[in-house]
Every structure is written in C-alpha cells, then in structure tokens.
C-alpha cells in the first residue's frame, strides 16, 4: 500500500524492494502476527495496535498487520504511520486508491473490522452474527457516476457469475451461492469486474444511469440457487486470422458476466445436422487493446477456432453468420497461475496458443510481480502463426519481459530461430538450466496436439522439472 504520492517516494534500503517483499511473503514467515487466523476486530481493538513495532490498519473492512511492511513502503514509514491503529480507508482512497493493496498485503491479513456493538451481544447471538458475516463479507463505496461492491470470499479462484436482471436488480453468484441486490436506483450494463484471485477478492463496478450520490446501495437478500449449465450466446462478428482460423466474438443473450480465469475453458454446444455436438474451448482475447474486432466488453465471449476438415463443431462454428447462436457452459478447469515463480516458459503448437494468451496478458499486467515470459510457438509455416503481429507488438512493448521464438517445421523464418520440431536440442537451447542448490523459479505450460504434449512433458521431466513445476493442457 503506497500512501505517499509519486513525489513523496523515498529511497528504500537495500533488500527492501517490492520483489524482496514478495519473497518475504512467500518464505513462510507469519506476517499477520496472529498465526494466520481470521479475527473479528473492533475499532477499539484496532486502536491498540498503533505503534511502529505493532502496527495494524484497516482498509475497506479488512485489517492488516503492516508492522513488517513499514520499511518496504515506497512512501516511507512516516506516511504509513499516519494510518495505523485506524480505519485508513478514507486516507488511502484520497491518496492512492488505484494501488492493488490487497495483493501487496495479502499475507498480512489479520481479519475483518466489525461493528463495536457486536462485542456487546450475548455469546450465543454473537456466534450467530459471526456465521452471517462469514457467509458474506461485503463493502461498497460510490462516486457520482458509479458504485462498487467489494466481496471477500476468502476462497482462492472463486466462482463468479453476475447478472443484471433489471436496471435495478443485480444478482451475483459466488462459489455457488446466489444473492440479489435491489439497487437504490438504476444502473447500466455491462459491469466492470476486477478479481484478486489468490485471496478471493471480487470487485464489481456498476455505472449509474443518473449522476448522483445514493443514501444507500439498496437491499440485499439470498435467493434460491438455480443451476444453469449452459447459456445462449449470439455471434456479433467473425474475422479471419489465418487461412483456416477465425476469431469469433459472441455476446451473452442476457446481461451476464461469467469470470473465466487464465487457462480455464468452457464447453461449446451446438446442433450440427440434427446432432448435438459439444467440445471444450479456451476463451481468448487479443493481447493488444486496439484491434479490428470491434468492442470487447465484460459480457462478450471471444474464441479462436481452427476449422479442421473432419471437425464437426469447428467447421460449424467457422460457418456461423452474425446473429447465429450457440450454447456455452460455465467455466471449468483447474489451472492456477503460479505466484511463487518468476519465469514462465510456454510451449504451444498451433491452436495450443489459446490458453497461453490469457496467461501472457495476466503475467504482463500483474501488479505484484514482474514475470519473465518465454514463448516457444511451433507451427508449420509463418502464414499459420496465429496473431503473430499482436505477439510481436507485445514483445516489442515488453522487450525485456516477453520473448517469442517461432519454430517452423516446413520453412525458415526471419528471426533465426530453430527450424524443425520439438526435441531435446530445442529444450536445451531455450530453457534456463536448473541449479539443484537454488529454488526453481521456472514454471512451464504445454499445449498442443496429444503427441506434442506427451513429448514436451517427457523432455521437461528430463531437464529436472517436477510435477509442481509444469502444467499440461489436455
């Protein structure tokens, strides 16, 4: 949490950079000071921890122990001391509301700031109230043009689904439980969602139809859970990427947002010649902000589809016209981005690039860590390379952090990369060597045809990588 302005940054002592702080957080040290327990903390209890050597503060309902963070704070110790022992939400919002403090302080969470009256209740009633609070921890704040809800699920990679049923009826599903908020006034669609996956924090921003401050957000209630396996999506546009690959932009027919984490997939279902066909696809979006594909918003779904001669569903999808519809499932998969690694090595063949693109985007835009990414992209010819111009633009923009090698099996390429197929020589050439005496900072992702995946996994294991160091997309 940087509470100083850019002008107020101080020179940090050696060993106190952001990367040093992340390493300390990943070292197993108890930065909470309470053994990692989630406590309910009153303002009077918070006020007791107001010393340089015992420093707690609260931001938007969460209490953090910032004692060990003091010397890592870019604004200096004095700036941080201004907030200790208090609810520092207003101070933080006035100075640096844009800082992703949840990620920086995720290992310092002591608990939730609760109403003082809670501690005056009889024990039996207090326990019931705690259960209710643990069931849903929520904050909200607003400005003239928008309001934000912040949900603390306490679950890494929470399931998130959001629907605007009516202009003033906002429904959300968190980890399978559905709730409804009847808003004080109407809002627009789509919403804007930010998720800190590691700690399960979900922020939903809704744009007000009419400017103004609301006296309350409205009322909240629990509703009956309705299991929906598939939703209808309408095709907004179809765009050629290569001679046999298309970018398809869909929109949910209802005001719906389903969060899909990098590396996760959905099932596409369609009626093809009287038969229902279903296949998994990884949603993907371009790596650059401006494209020829029109507006990509929270409620759109982007697919890269290669039309295979014998692929019933792929040929059907590539033949769709604007206005045609398909059905899509809820997000699925188990991939979780590594936070303990620094170097990502991605091996992709053909359309195996699809899970890699969100991983690249996520890594380059991480607010807590500078990842170094090496992509080995295998194709037959240069004309087969999917979104080469976007990969080149992104690698040029992140010259020291994203390196792309195109490995072609049927022709030479202009970058002087290896010609041929995946083999031990390619791995040796592009993989950093492992030192058994040091912690392995490398993580590997593999995606392509089954034969490619099996060979890559074998070669990676031969280089000394263990099961926790790599992930193969099936």
């Amino acid at each position: 949490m940087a509470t100083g302005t850019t002008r107020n940054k101080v020179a940090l002592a050696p060993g106190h950079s952001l990367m040093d702080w992340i390493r300390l957080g990943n070292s197993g040290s108890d930065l909470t000071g309470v053994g990692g327990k989630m406590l309910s903390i009153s303002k009077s209890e918070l006020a007791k921890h107001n010393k340089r050597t015992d420093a707690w503060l609260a931001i938007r309902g969460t209490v953090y122990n910032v004692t060990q963070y003091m010397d890592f704070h870019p604004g200096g110790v004095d700036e941080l001391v201004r907030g200790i022992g208090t609810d520092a939400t207003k101070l933080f919002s006035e100075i640096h509301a844009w800082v992703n403090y949840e990620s920086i302080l995720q290992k310092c969470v002591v608990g939730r700031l609760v109403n003082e009256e809670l501690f005056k209740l009889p024990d039996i009633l207090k326990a019931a109230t705690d259960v209710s609070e643990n069931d849903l921890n929520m904050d909200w704040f607003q400005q003239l043009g928008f309001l934000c809800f912040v949900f603390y699920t306490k679950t890494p990679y929470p399931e998130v689904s959001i629907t605007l049923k009516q202009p003033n009826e906002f429904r959300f599903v968190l980890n399978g439980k559905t709730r409804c908020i009847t808003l004080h006034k109407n809002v627009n669609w789509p919403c804007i969602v930010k998720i800190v996956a590691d700690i399960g924090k979900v922020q939903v921003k809704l744009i007000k139809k009419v400017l103004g401050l609301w006296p309350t957000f409205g009322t909240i209630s629990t509703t009956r859970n309705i299991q929906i396996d598939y939703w209808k999506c309408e095709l907004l546009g179809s765009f050629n990427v290569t001679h046999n690959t298309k970018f398809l932009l869909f929109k949910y027919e209802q005001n719906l947002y389903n969060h899909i984490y990098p590396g996760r997939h959905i099932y596409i279902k369609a009626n093809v010649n009287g038969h229902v066909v279903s296949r998994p696809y990884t949603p993907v979006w371009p790596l650059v902000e401006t494209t020829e594909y029109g507006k990509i918003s929270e409620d759109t779904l982007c697919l890269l589809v290669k039309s295979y001669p014998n692929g019933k569903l792929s040929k059907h999808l590539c033949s769709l016209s604007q206005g045609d519809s398909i059905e899509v499932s809820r997000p699925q998969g188990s991939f979780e981005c590594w936070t303990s690694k620094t170097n990502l090595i991605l091996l992709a063949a053909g359309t195996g690039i699809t899970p890699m693109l969100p991983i690249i985007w996520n890594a380059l835009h991480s607010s807590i860590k500078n990842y170094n990414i090496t992509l080995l992209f295998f194709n037959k010819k240069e004309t087969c390379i999917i979104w080469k111009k976007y990969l080149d633009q992104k690698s040029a923009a992140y010259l020291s952090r994203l390196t792309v090698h195109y490995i072609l099996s049927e022709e030479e390429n202009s970058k002087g990369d290896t010609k041929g197929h995946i083999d031990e020589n390619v791995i040796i050439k592009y993989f950093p060597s492992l030192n058994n005496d040091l912690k392995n900072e490398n993580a590997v992702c593999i995606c392509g045809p089954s034969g490619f995946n099996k060979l890559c996994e074998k070669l990676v294991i031969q280089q000394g990588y263990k099961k926790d160091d790599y992930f193969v997309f099936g």
Side-chain angles (χ1 to χ4, degrees):
M1 185 191 72
T3 55
T5 65
T6 303
R7 294 186 302 274
N8 292 334
K9 283 190 174 182
V10 300
L12 298 175
H16 289 81
S17 68
L18 176 59
M19 293 306 300
D20 293 315
W21 173 249
I22 293 171
R23 279 190 282 270
L24 178 60
N26 291 330
S27 69
S29 300
D30 177 21
L31 302 183
T32 69
V34 295
K37 298 177 183 178
M38 286 295 291
L39 306 178
S40 295
I41 300 154
S42 66
K43 286 189 176 181
S44 59
E45 175 63 26
L46 175 63
K48 297 175 184 177
H49 302 270
N50 62 351
K51 303 178 182 66
R52 169 69 178 80
T53 55
D54 179 20
W56 292 9
L57 57 74
I59 304 176
R60 292 175 185 157
T62 300
V63 178
Y64 301 92
N65 185 342
V66 295
T67 307
Q68 295 197 55
Y69 182 63
M70 288 285 184
D71 293 328
F72 293 84
H73 182 236
V77 172
D78 291 343
E79 282 292 322
L80 198 57
V81 165
R82 292 172 59 196
I84 63 174
T86 72
D87 182 346
T89 302
K90 186 172 184 294
L91 176 64
F92 174 82
S93 298
E94 288 175 349
I95 300 176
H96 266 345
W98 53 268
V99 172
N100 192 350
Y101 65 91
E102 299 93 340
S103 295
I104 296 174
L105 299 179
Q106 60 180 298
K107 300 297 178 67
C108 303
V109 176
V110 176
R112 296 286 298 154
L113 186 66
V114 299
N115 194 309
E116 200 83 28
E117 294 299 317
L118 174 64
F119 292 87
K120 300 176 183 178
L121 297 173
D123 288 343
I124 186 169
L125 184 55
K126 185 190 300 183
T129 307
D130 282 341
V131 170
S132 177
E133 286 207 353
N134 289 335
D135 187 44
L136 176 66
N137 289 321
M138 183 191 88
D139 291 326
W140 78 286
F141 58 95
Q142 65 172 321
Q143 290 187 12
L144 286 172
F146 67 86
L147 74 158
C148 281
F149 293 97
V150 185
F151 306 105
Y152 306 91
T153 69
K154 303 179 186 176
T155 305
Y157 292 83
E159 173 198 4
V160 180
S161 182
I162 296 166
T163 308
L164 191 68
K165 301 289 289 184
Q166 301 291 336
N168 71 331
E169 186 180 339
F170 164 57
R171 292 192 181 186
F172 58 96
V173 181
L174 298 177
N175 292 330
K177 188 151 189 176
T178 305
R179 294 178 178 84
C180 176
I181 295 179
T182 302
L183 298 166
H184 178 68
K185 289 186 178 181
N186 294 345
V187 296
N188 294 312
W189 185 263
C191 59
I192 301 169
V193 181
K194 293 183 180 179
I195 296 178
V196 184
D198 295 342
I199 60 175
K201 178 203 165 186
V202 180
Q203 178 174 298
V204 182
K205 182 178 180 179
L206 298 168
I207 307 301
K208 298 175 181 177
K209 278 190 175 291
V210 179
L211 294 177
L213 294 179
W214 297 0
T216 176
F217 67 81
T219 59
I220 186 169
S221 60
T222 301
T223 65
R224 183 169 62 91
N225 291 335
I226 301 175
Q227 180 71 22
I228 299 176
D229 294 321
Y230 283 85
W231 291 267
K232 277 193 173 183
C233 284
E234 176 186 330
L235 182 67
L236 297 179
S238 175
F239 307 86
N240 292 324
V241 177
T242 68
H243 65 284
N244 60 0
T245 305
K246 288 193 173 185
F247 176 76
L248 304 177
L249 182 61
F250 292 90
K251 184 182 185 303
Y252 288 102
E253 290 190 356
Q254 61 187 105
N255 293 333
L256 175 70
Y257 170 84
N258 279 329
H259 187 76
I260 303 173
Y261 293 100
R264 304 287 176 93
H265 62 272
I266 56 174
Y267 276 85
I268 305 294
K269 184 168 67 173
N271 191 312
V272 182
N273 299 325
H275 299 280
V276 176
V277 182
S278 178
R279 296 285 187 276
Y281 281 88
T282 302
V284 64
W285 54 91
L287 285 174
V288 296
E289 289 74 11
T290 303
T291 70
E292 62 270 38
Y293 303 136
K295 185 178 181 181
I296 299 173
S297 59
E298 302 281 357
D299 57 346
T300 53
L301 187 69
C302 309
L303 298 178
L304 274 173
V305 179
K306 181 178 180 180
S307 180
Y308 291 94
N310 298 320
K312 291 182 179 180
L313 186 56
S314 67
K315 289 174 64 177
H316 173 76
L317 291 174
C318 289
S319 69
L320 293 177
S321 301
Q322 185 175 354
D324 290 342
S325 63
I326 59 172
E327 293 184 73
V328 303
S329 76
R330 64 182 63 253
Q332 300 180 43
S334 59
F335 177 78
E336 295 183 2
C337 294
W338 288 276
T339 56
S340 60
K341 306 288 189 179
T342 301
N343 305 314
L344 303 183
I345 307 169
L346 313 179
L347 306 177
T351 52
I353 192 65
T354 52
M356 308 304 182
L357 294 169
I359 292 171
I360 292 171
W361 175 275
N362 189 65
L364 291 178
H365 293 82
S366 172
S367 61
I368 63 171
K369 196 166 193 174
N370 282 336
Y371 291 94
N372 299 310
I373 308 155
T374 301
L375 170 64
L376 306 185
F377 195 5
F378 296 80
N379 289 275
K380 290 182 179 180
K381 304 176 181 180
E382 189 157 341
T383 55
C384 298
I385 299 174
I386 294 171
W387 279 349
K388 182 178 184 297
K389 66 177 180 179
Y390 297 149
L391 288 167
D392 289 344
Q393 286 177 34
K394 211 65 176 177
S395 60
Y398 292 85
L399 192 58
S400 62
R401 295 181 52 202
L402 173 61
T403 303
V404 182
H405 298 288
Y406 302 107
I407 301 176
L408 309 178
S409 60
E410 295 186 0
E411 64 183 22
E412 298 286 349
N413 64 73
S414 58
K415 288 189 65 175
D417 294 325
T418 302
K419 177 187 175 184
H421 303 272
I422 180 70
D423 59 19
E424 186 176 2
N425 292 328
V426 171
I427 297 295
I428 292 173
K429 180 176 180 179
Y430 294 113
F431 270 52
S433 59
L434 294 181
N435 188 331
N436 293 330
D437 297 329
L438 300 175
K439 179 183 175 182
N440 178 21
E441 293 288 343
N442 308 313
V444 182
C445 290
I446 301 167
C447 189
S450 58
F452 175 87
N453 289 350
K454 290 177 182 178
L455 179 56
C456 286
E457 183 174 15
K458 177 183 176 182
L459 294 171
V460 166
I461 292 173
Q462 288 177 356
Q463 290 298 308
Y465 288 82
K466 298 180 173 55
K467 192 65 179 174
D468 291 340
D469 298 328
Y470 68 89
F471 189 94
V472 181
F473 292 97

